[in-house]
Amino acid sequence: MRPPSSWVRDCSRRASRRLLATIANNQPPIPQTIIEKVVQKYAVGLPGGKVVKAGDYVMIRPEHVMTHDNTGPVVSKFKSIGATRIHNPSQLVFTLDHDVQNKSPKNLAKYSMIEQFARTHGIDFYPAGRGIGHQVLVEEGYAFPHTLTVASDSHSNMYGGVGCVGTPIVRTDAAALWATGKTWWQVPRMVKVELKGRLAPGVTGKDVIVALCGSFNKDEVLNAAIEFTGEGVSALGVDDRLTIANMTTEWGALVGVFPVDQTLLKWYDGILKKLESRTFASSPGIPPPPSHPRINRERLQFLRANNMTSDPGAEYSSHLIFDLSTLVPHVSGPNSVKISTPLPELEAKRIPIQKAYLVSCTNSRVSDIAAAAAVVRGRKIAPGVEFYIAAASSVVQQESEEKGDWDALVLAGAKPLPAGCGPCIGLGTGLLEEGETGISATNRNYKGRMGHPNAQAYLASPAVVAASAVNGYISGPDSLDPQTLPPIRPPTFSIAEEGSSKASASSSTAKEPLLPDFPAFFSGPLLFAPQDNLNTDGIYPGKYTYQDDITLARQAEVVMENYDPGFAALVSTLIQDQKKVAETISLPKDTKQGVILVSGYNFGTGSSREQAATALKAAGVPVVIAGSFGDIFKRNAINNGLVCLECPELVSDLTEAYAKDGKRGAGGKDGELTVDKGLHIRVGMEDGQVVVTGGLPGVESKKVYNVKPVGASVQELWLCGGLEGYILKEIQGQATI
């Protein structure tokens, strides 16, 4: 499938060939999921009668687009593509939240520049200290039920907790939205997650998503849009829903939406009362205060009168069922969200901790802080343990202070941090040091994310984090009554297939016409990283992410540092060897040389950092072949001219031949993290043939694989150097009309 024809340039003389589902006369309406209906509302340029379905490429004009500390690089991209005017200032929201502890002149200057840009262009701006952007968007109504709001951050899934279709974009997409008000998106496959039963006392939304990540850990929801349904949903409070939706990102999904029900509508009634109480009470004869621009009675009345649900017969790629009543508190880790363990099992091991964290957009709301405060009241943080707390927003902190919960944590010995991301993203005070173990109420425990790569990180609910901080080891609160919990065993879950939308990336052997100057072949030495879920922190460490002036050359030097510190040097050596050969042998003009990286499944999972793609490309890797890709990484790659191809058969053969014990996850047979066995690979971009030579075990000289070639839209982005160059040409083309 391809992006809509409006995204295929006239100079290519090629029309989009994607098939459209249309409504013929006198035919019944095509059923849609609630997510498809919302996308339909925000899709632009659709042909008459087009019904948006999973798999479609559509142009979207979101309600809002949020950027945070990465606004600086987006400003640079916006200016570099020749744009001078924001298409729709009211669409944009700037929130400074990631590096708020950094008081260096350089960071303060960056923050000042972002604020000045916002003021100049009339963009809503929230300064450092106001809170984490995702929380602010919910509090201020930018994320609102039945709307589509995007953000240049992977945890925009969180907006689904309030019935908003939130999905991540990357920085280049943000620049495109600033300039044009729209960008392209492929509607993900739909997955229904049915929640049955009710949670036992002391079990929380965090336990639900930690258990879901650990139970369905075979990519069941990878790159999917999740719709939560079932009678269990109504018993989940909105804070629990926000936590679950937030961590659908770690589960692998692109969207995670809860229904708009009475629980949510009553929650909004409470928010509206709080907003109205911000002003002085009106007296007779004094006009009432102005309504909030996004959360007001008129909008809520319209929502009640026009609530949307999925149609009977709507299609889902799969149907997952999870029984909440069988769940006990769970802990994630160490260093992986795909490992979840019942709390009583870990508590029995008395795993000592040195740091604990109640921070992030996942679990630092008023109810979370109250749960932690209830645990520590009258007690002290254990000797040798540092307990860091940061509210999700200044509004949250103010309310928690009024309730006495914030002071209870501080009096117990917790160390307060400003409202913001901080340790969750590996920035500021209190990071994990080498050899330390920490437990956190955040959303990610990837190796090296919250500090040293040789630290151990666990995830749990706020009450469990607070109890662990008081006891000095991973443990639950005293209030957790075993008599009220279900038996300690894995929760009950199942899968009910409902049709199939899965297609093999290598099933198509049809030739793909090539645009002029697009390489017919990519060729070079093959490197194999035998690892599934190789995340963006492993590809490009978070500590470099917000160094906005870092050069591509420097990115190339640190690429894969958290996965294999020797990777960059190895690639550099191979590239130099290629150059020496090119000086003596005339290479085909239709072939692009470089190092071809092959890895496992869900390559590039994790955050939305664009540098994970640009660093690989800068190092000399023009193509990555994997079993599958994290969707955000693939989008970043396409937008920056890095070719991504899926070839499960090749991954399987390399795993069997070179991975330790024939399994991915523990490096090569000789202990190396990146396997280099002198193999050569040639990828045909017209016919999709991948030829590996150099002696795979059991193969005399070569073996041929097949991949699905990239289409004209991806080719054109590559020729333009990425989406940024493409938009520049579009702007220049419009200027000549």
Side-chain angles (χ1 to χ4, degrees):
M1 302 184 72
R2 308 198 196 306
S5 56
S6 59
W7 276 75
V8 180
R9 295 180 54 77
D10 293 337
C11 64
S12 72
R13 306 299 183 190
R14 301 178 188 272
S16 171
R17 293 185 291 170
R18 71 182 180 92
L19 299 177
L20 303 178
T22 57
I23 301 176
N25 291 334
N26 301 321
Q27 288 190 352
I30 298 174
Q32 291 176 298
T33 68
I34 178 60
I35 296 169
E36 290 167 339
K37 288 182 179 182
V38 172
V39 177
Q40 181 95 40
K41 283 174 52 180
Y42 289 89
V44 295
L46 293 177
K50 170 73 179 96
V51 176
V52 170
K53 297 291 288 181
D56 286 341
Y57 281 94
V58 294
M59 290 290 293
I60 55 171
R61 183 175 288 125
E63 185 86 7
H64 294 287
V65 51
M66 184 269 280
T67 55
H68 45 65
D69 291 35
N70 58 18
T71 302
V74 179
V75 169
S76 298
K77 285 185 178 293
F78 178 78
K79 292 179 178 178
S80 70
I81 60 180
T84 57
R85 184 180 68 87
I86 299 294
H87 179 81
N88 178 12
S90 64
Q91 188 181 35
L92 278 57
V93 187
F94 293 172
T95 62
L96 300 182
D97 60 5
H98 271 53
D99 204 11
V100 296
Q101 297 179 43
N102 185 353
K103 307 297 185 182
S104 68
K106 182 178 180 181
N107 195 56
L108 293 177
K110 179 174 101 170
Y111 279 7
S112 177
M113 179 277 294
I114 293 171
E115 182 172 8
Q116 183 178 2
F117 186 91
R119 303 303 181 208
T120 300
H121 294 276
I123 298 164
D124 287 358
F125 172 82
Y126 295 88
R130 172 60 181 85
I132 302 172
H134 303 306
Q135 179 70 17
V136 171
L137 261 62
V138 171
E139 289 176 354
E140 297 291 344
Y142 297 103
F144 195 80
H146 298 163
T147 64
L148 172 61
T149 288
V150 301
S152 185
D153 188 277
S154 57
H155 287 106
S156 45
N157 294 29
M158 186 181 110
Y159 313 149
V162 292
C164 170
V165 176
T167 196
I169 58 169
V170 295
R171 298 176 185 187
T172 306
D173 295 320
L177 281 161
W178 291 10
T180 68
K182 54 190 178 181
T183 192
W184 67 272
W185 194 49
Q186 185 180 20
V187 184
R189 65 187 177 95
M190 301 290 144
V191 171
K192 179 191 293 184
V193 176
E194 181 181 356
L195 301 178
K196 301 179 118 182
R198 297 175 66 94
L199 294 175
V203 186
T204 69
K206 184 59 162 284
D207 300 305
V208 173
I209 189 60
V210 165
L212 284 170
C213 289
S215 300
F216 297 103
N217 59 4
K218 301 292 190 296
D219 295 341
E220 289 90 346
V221 301
L222 180 63
N223 299 335
I226 295 172
E227 179 185 341
F228 289 99
T229 68
E231 84 268 7
V233 169
S234 62
L236 293 174
V238 173
D239 281 2
D240 281 332
R241 298 181 188 190
L242 290 167
T243 295
I244 294 169
N246 181 288
M247 280 191 64
T248 58
T249 300
E250 283 66 40
W251 199 11
L254 296 173
V255 176
V257 175
F258 279 84
V260 177
D261 58 6
Q262 287 304 311
T263 298
L264 179 66
L265 292 171
K266 290 178 181 178
W267 181 83
Y268 268 112
D269 288 338
I271 295 297
L272 186 59
K273 290 180 180 179
K274 290 179 182 178
L275 290 172
E276 291 175 342
S277 68
R278 287 180 178 181
T279 62
F280 292 105
S282 298
S283 300
I286 300 177
S291 298
H292 190 279
R294 290 166 299 276
I295 303 177
N296 51 63
R297 295 193 181 279
E298 292 74 20
R299 201 176 189 191
L300 291 179
Q301 287 173 358
F302 181 87
L303 182 63
R304 281 187 164 92
N306 298 276
N307 200 1
M308 295 193 300
T309 59
S310 293
D311 294 325
E315 296 177 345
Y316 300 88
S317 66
S318 61
H319 176 182
L320 312 182
I321 303 170
F322 191 85
D323 190 344
L324 298 178
S325 67
T326 65
L327 182 64
V328 300
H330 269 60
V331 177
S332 170
N335 294 356
S336 174
V337 295
K338 290 182 178 289
I339 302 172
S340 65
T341 306
L343 171 64
E345 293 183 15
L346 287 183
E347 189 166 12
K349 296 180 180 180
R350 297 179 70 91
I351 300 171
I353 66 166
Q354 289 75 49
K355 288 188 171 73
Y357 306 89
L358 179 58
V359 300
S360 87
C361 53
T362 312
N363 272 126
S364 287
R365 282 172 278 278
V366 172
S367 63
D368 301 317
I369 293 170
V375 173
V376 304
R377 275 194 173 88
R379 305 178 69 180
K380 291 292 184 181
I381 305 305
V385 175
E386 297 175 6
F387 184 21
Y388 294 93
I389 59 172
S393 73
S394 58
V395 171
V396 167
Q397 183 168 336
Q398 181 179 357
E399 186 171 346
S400 296
E401 289 173 347
E402 292 171 353
K403 291 176 175 290
D405 295 330
W406 189 262
D407 287 345
L409 290 167
V410 174
L411 287 173
K415 299 182 177 183
L417 298 173
C421 301
C424 179
I425 189 62
L427 295 172
T429 300
L431 304 188
L432 287 172
E433 298 178 8
E434 184 173 11
E436 287 189 331
T437 297
I439 188 166
S440 175
T442 55
N443 43 41
R444 285 196 180 135
N445 56 353
Y446 301 151
K447 177 182 176 182
R449 176 178 172 88
M450 296 184 67
H452 200 279
N454 292 329
Q456 300 283 301
Y458 293 85
L459 304 178
S461 69
V464 170
V465 169
S468 301
V470 168
N471 295 326
Y473 61 93
I474 296 177
S475 53
D478 295 339
S479 61
L480 198 60
D481 184 0
Q483 299 300 319
T484 65
L485 294 176
I488 301 170
R489 62 191 180 197
T492 301
F493 62 94
S494 59
I495 302 176
E497 294 294 334
E498 295 192 355
S500 176
S501 63
K502 300 177 182 178
S504 170
S506 58
S507 61
S508 175
T509 57
K511 288 188 175 182
E512 185 70 47
L514 301 180
L515 297 180
D517 299 325
F518 187 78
F521 301 94
F522 287 91
S523 179
L526 184 157
L527 293 182
F528 179 44
Q531 180 74 39
D532 291 337
N533 304 301
L534 208 168
N535 59 67
T536 49
D537 284 292
I539 300 169
Y540 190 81
K543 62 185 177 182
Y544 302 114
T545 302
Y546 297 100
Q547 296 180 19
D548 297 339
D549 56 353
I550 196 168
T551 64
L552 288 174
R554 177 59 178 155
Q555 287 186 23
E557 292 174 353
V558 302
V559 67
M560 302 283 275
E561 184 179 279
N562 273 349
Y563 170 72
D564 179 3
F567 179 87
L570 175 58
V571 171
S572 179
T573 298
L574 293 173
I575 294 294
Q576 292 304 314
D577 291 344
Q578 278 187 329
K579 291 180 178 178
K580 291 177 182 178
V581 172
E583 293 173 357
T584 59
I585 299 176
S586 178
L587 298 173
K589 293 184 179 179
D590 63 352
T591 299
K592 171 69 175 176
Q593 295 285 324
V595 174
I596 311 300
L597 175 63
V598 182
S599 191
Y601 287 78
N602 201 17
F603 183 88
T605 185
S607 74
S608 61
R609 66 191 60 161
E610 198 168 31
Q611 301 96 319
T614 59
L616 282 168
K617 184 180 176 184
V621 177
V623 175
V624 178
I625 300 176
S628 64
F629 290 90
D631 191 80
I632 302 174
F633 173 86
K634 184 165 67 173
R635 187 175 187 92
N636 269 324
I638 292 173
N639 283 349
N640 285 280
L642 177 67
V643 177
C644 294
L645 302 170
E646 296 183 358
C647 190
E649 185 184 0
L650 173 58
V651 174
S652 177
D653 283 353
L654 292 174
T655 300
E656 182 179 358
Y658 301 119
K660 185 177 180 180
D661 300 325
K663 299 178 181 179
R664 294 180 297 278
K669 290 183 175 179
D670 298 326
E672 73 277 41
L673 293 171
T674 304
V675 178
D676 176 20
K677 294 298 181 181
L679 300 180
H680 186 274
I681 186 169
R682 188 170 188 249
V683 184
M685 301 309 295
E686 184 176 16
D687 59 10
Q689 283 201 343
V690 176
V691 181
V692 178
T693 57
L696 270 170
V699 179
E700 291 185 1
S701 58
K702 70 177 182 180
K703 185 168 182 180
V704 179
Y705 304 85
N706 289 298
V707 298
K708 182 178 176 62
V710 299
S713 56
V714 176
Q715 294 176 31
E716 187 162 15
L717 288 175
W718 189 92
L719 290 168
C720 293
L723 180 60
E724 183 177 339
Y726 178 86
I727 296 172
L728 173 59
K729 288 188 176 182
E730 288 292 302
I731 292 174
Q732 292 172 341
Q734 293 172 4
T736 60
I737 297 176

